[in-house]
Amino acid sequence: MNALISVSDKTGIVEFAAALQALGVKLLSTGGTATLLAAHGLTVTEVADMTGFPEMLDGRVKTLHPKVHGGLLARRDMPTHMAALQAHGIDLIDVLVVNLYPFEATVAKAGCTFDDAIENIDIGGPAMVRSAAKNWKDVAVLTDATQYDGVLAELRAGGKVSEKTRFRLSVAAFNRISQYDGAISDYLSAIQDDGSHALFAAQSNGRFVKLQDLRYGENPHQQAAYYRDLHPAPGSLASALQLQGKELSYNNIADADAAWECVKSFGASACVIVKHANPCGVAVGTDPLDAYSKAFRTDPTSAFGGIIAFNRTVDEATAQQVSRQFVEVLMAPGFSEAALGVFKTKPNLRLLQIGLPPGGASAWQQGRNAMDVKRVGSGLLMQTADNHEIALADLRTVSKVQPTPAQLQDLLFAWTVAKYVKSNAIVFCANGATVGVGAGQMSRLDSARIASIKAHHAGLSLAGSVVASDAFFPFRDGLDVVVDAGASCVIQPGGSMRDDEVIAAADERGVAMVFTGVRHFRH
C-alpha cells in the first residue's frame, strides 16, 4: 500500500505518517513535508524521485505528472487500466493526504497583497484531491487532520479503509475543493480595474455547512434544514450548545437569533423576550432576575411560549422565576448548576448556551454577520449588517424642551430596542425597560396605538415614558398619538419633509425630541 502525503498544515502529520509506516505503508511525499518526515526518522520517497522529474518553477510544478495522477485515477477493477500502469512503470497510490495552501487565511490577513494571494492559490493539491476523490472506490483521500484517527483505526482493524469511509472522505474532499475555489472566486471577483476591492464581489459564492435537518419549516407542510457559515462568527447563534430540551424548530431558530442579537447589544445585565421575531419585552437591570422581571411585565400575554435571552449567567433565583411560565427556548452565556437543576424539571425546554463575543457584550458587533442576505425570486439582496451604534454625542436635540440625563439614557435604550423591532416600530420605555411595543404595522400610527394598547393591557403607565420610532414621523399625527399616550420624550431619525411641522408639534405639546440621523428599518 502506498500513501502520498503533501500538506501545508502539518498538524499531526508526523504521528499519522509514522503510524502508516508502522502498518507497512510506503510513504511518498513532496518538499517541506518530505523533509519534515525524514527529519523524524521516517523512510520517505520524494515524488521527484518517483516521477523522475524534479520540482520546478519554485515548487509550482511537482505533482502534476502521469505517475502521480495515473496512480490515483487507475481503477483496480479494469484490466486495461492496470496494464497501462504496468507498461509505464506507474505504482498505485492507495491513500492521499493533502491539505491546501492557506489561501483563505492569507487573504484574511491585514495587508495581504495581490501577489501574496495569487501565490497561495494551490494547483497541484486540488488536482490530486479531485483525482483521488473521483476514484474513491480505490483511494482514500484525507483533507483534514481530524480524519486521521478514524482512518488509522480502520487500517489497524482490517488492513484497509472501508468503502463507506472512502466515500465519506471523497464527499468531504469535493466539499473542501468547492469551499477553496469559492474563496478564490470571491476574492478575485471583488478586484476592480484600479486594483481596489469592491465591497460586493461580482460573484458571490455561499459556503454553508448543514447542522441538522429540521422536523419541518415555517409551517408543517414545508421541509427545512439548518445551516451555518463555514467559519461562524464567535458569539453567534450557530455556535450555540444545546444543553437540554426538544429539537429546535425552524421558528425556534429564527426567533432565537432575533433574541440573541438584541440581548448581546447591551453592556448591562439584560433580558430580551421575543415572540414571532419581535421583542415583546426588553429590560436592563441590576442582575438577570431584575432584568427578566422588568422585561416580563411589558407583555406577559405575548411572553407565553416565547424565546428568552440573557447576556449574563442565569442563576437559581432567575431560573425559579422563569420556570413559572411556558418558554420555548432559553439562552444565555452560562447557567449555574443550581439553575440547571431547576430546568431539568422542564425536559421539553430548549436550553442553549452561547458564549458572548470575545471582549464581552461591548464587543457584540464581532458576533454579528458582516452581511445580511435576503432571498428573493431567483436572486439575493445583500447588504452590510445594521451594526450602527448611537452614542449620546450623536444625538441632536431639536425641541425647546431638553431631555434630562435620565431621559437620555432611556432614549438610547429605546433606540437600541427599536432596531430589533419589525417596521413600523414604536417602542415606549421607562427606567431601562420597555413598557409598550408596537411592531410590523403598515401605518406608524397603528404601531403607536398598538404599543399603547399593550401597555394598558399589561397595567403599565406610559406617563413620562420615552418613545423610539425606527423611522421619521411623516406627519405630526404620529407624535400626537404617542404624546396623548403619555410620552414626554421622543427619539427618531429625522429627515422628513415635514420635520419642521413635527418639531413645532413637539414644542406645542411640551415634549423633548432628539434626532439620530439614522433609521433602523427591519422588514
Side-chain angles (χ1 to χ4, degrees):
M1 182 179 289
N2 297 318
L4 196 163
I5 304 174
S6 181
V7 293
S8 175
D9 178 2
K10 295 175 174 55
T11 302
I13 196 60
V14 172
E15 295 80 5
F16 181 64
L20 288 178
Q21 192 161 90
L23 291 168
V25 178
K26 180 181 177 181
L27 303 181
L28 308 170
S29 193
T30 62
T33 305
T35 301
L36 175 67
L37 298 182
H40 282 80
L42 300 178
T43 302
V44 183
T45 300
E46 286 262 11
V47 166
D49 294 332
M50 178 190 77
T51 62
F53 202 93
E55 293 187 15
M56 60 185 297
L57 306 181
D58 298 319
R60 287 188 173 200
V61 177
K62 51 190 173 187
T63 58
L64 298 170
H65 194 281
K67 284 199 171 183
V68 173
H69 288 274
L72 291 170
L73 283 166
R75 287 180 53 177
R76 279 61 162 171
D77 62 343
M78 293 188 66
T80 55
H81 282 205
M82 301 308 291
L85 293 192
Q86 185 174 8
H88 294 284
I90 298 174
D91 292 330
L92 294 169
I93 299 173
D94 307 287
V95 177
L96 177 71
V97 187
V98 169
N99 54 57
L100 310 176
Y101 292 175
F103 179 84
E104 296 101 325
T106 298
V107 298
K109 292 177 183 175
C112 171
T113 66
F114 179 75
D115 287 343
D116 289 337
I118 294 299
E119 285 306 310
N120 277 277
I121 296 176
D122 202 335
I123 303 299
M128 288 192 293
V129 168
R130 291 177 66 89
S131 291
K134 177 176 179 175
N135 201 27
W136 62 271
K137 287 190 176 182
D138 296 312
V139 181
V141 52
L142 291 77
T143 52
D144 191 276
T146 59
Q147 299 165 337
Y148 297 168
D149 288 345
V151 167
L152 280 177
E154 290 196 8
L155 288 172
R156 286 166 175 157
K160 66 178 182 177
V161 181
S162 69
E163 184 173 298
K164 179 180 179 181
T165 297
R166 290 197 305 272
F167 179 72
R168 178 174 51 80
L169 292 171
S170 171
V171 172
F174 280 120
N175 287 344
R176 177 63 189 121
I177 297 300
S178 172
Q179 296 157 5
Y180 195 73
D181 287 343
I184 295 169
S185 172
D186 283 345
Y187 178 84
L188 296 178
S189 295
I191 296 176
Q192 304 183 93
D193 290 343
D194 63 359
S196 63
H197 283 255
L199 181 60
F200 299 99
Q203 177 169 310
S204 177
N205 301 276
R207 296 182 292 282
F208 301 93
V209 177
K210 187 167 73 172
L211 289 180
Q212 65 186 94
D213 289 309
L214 301 175
R215 287 176 296 159
Y216 53 81
E218 203 162 6
N219 298 290
H221 62 274
Q222 295 172 269
Q223 295 178 311
Y226 179 29
Y227 290 78
R228 66 159 173 79
D229 284 317
L230 184 62
H231 302 293
S236 61
L237 182 66
S239 65
L241 173 65
Q242 185 167 352
L243 303 180
Q244 71 165 54
K246 295 189 295 185
E247 179 183 308
L248 289 164
S249 72
Y250 181 99
N251 292 328
N252 288 157
I253 294 167
D255 288 348
D257 185 62
W260 184 246
E261 291 299 317
C262 183
V263 81
K264 70 183 182 185
S265 65
F266 296 103
S269 182
C271 175
V272 174
I273 306 174
V274 162
K275 193 70 173 287
H276 297 303
N278 271 305
C280 60
V282 182
V284 292
T286 56
D287 54 38
L289 178 57
D290 182 41
Y292 167 74
S293 299
K294 292 162 68 176
F296 183 76
R297 281 198 297 268
T298 306
D299 190 352
T301 301
S302 297
F304 179 84
I307 310 291
I308 301 180
F310 293 92
N311 64 354
R312 295 288 189 276
T313 296
V314 173
D315 56 18
E316 182 179 18
T318 307
Q320 295 271 10
Q321 191 67 23
V322 171
S323 64
R324 296 179 182 176
Q325 72 166 106
F326 170 52
V327 181
E328 288 276 5
V329 181
L330 178 64
M331 67 197 83
F335 300 88
S336 71
E337 286 300 321
L340 291 173
V342 172
F343 292 131
K344 281 182 180 177
T345 63
K346 293 186 172 288
N348 289 334
L349 170 63
R350 302 162 177 90
L351 214 58
L352 304 182
Q353 183 170 315
I354 316 176
L356 288 169
S362 62
W364 67 277
Q365 285 184 322
Q366 298 176 36
R368 287 183 57 83
N369 297 323
M371 293 286 179
D372 283 338
V373 177
K374 182 179 292 186
R375 196 79 166 92
V376 294
S378 297
L380 294 175
L381 288 172
M382 188 176 294
Q383 64 177 352
T384 58
D386 185 6
N387 290 340
H388 193 282
E389 290 187 89
I390 289 290
L392 280 175
D394 300 318
L395 302 181
R396 180 167 67 95
T397 301
V398 294
S399 58
K400 293 177 182 177
V401 175
Q402 299 292 306
T404 67
Q407 285 177 322
L408 285 171
Q409 292 303 315
D410 270 341
L411 286 172
L412 287 176
F413 172 81
W415 184 249
T416 300
V417 175
K419 181 160 64 171
Y420 297 97
V421 178
K422 300 282 184 156
S423 299
N424 287 310
I426 294 291
V427 181
F428 288 84
C429 297
N431 303 315
T434 52
V435 287
V437 179
Q441 299 304 304
M442 292 71 77
S443 162
R444 195 161 299 277
L445 279 171
D446 288 341
S447 288
R449 292 177 180 127
I450 288 171
S452 179
I453 291 169
K454 283 186 168 291
H456 176 73
H457 285 171
L460 299 174
S461 171
L462 298 180
S465 62
V466 307
V467 169
S469 173
D470 66 336
F472 60 65
F473 288 102
F475 304 97
R476 68 165 291 168
D477 54 0
L479 177 71
D480 285 328
V481 170
V482 299
V483 175
D484 287 344
S488 64
C489 198
V490 177
I491 185 169
Q492 59 134 320
S496 168
M497 293 176 60
R498 293 182 172 82
D499 273 350
D500 289 344
E501 174 188 321
V502 177
I503 293 169
D507 289 338
E508 176 189 320
R509 301 298 300 268
V511 297
M513 179 178 286
V514 300
F515 283 2
T516 64
V518 177
R519 80 178 187 199
H520 282 308
F521 275 163
R522 186 178 179 88
H523 289 107

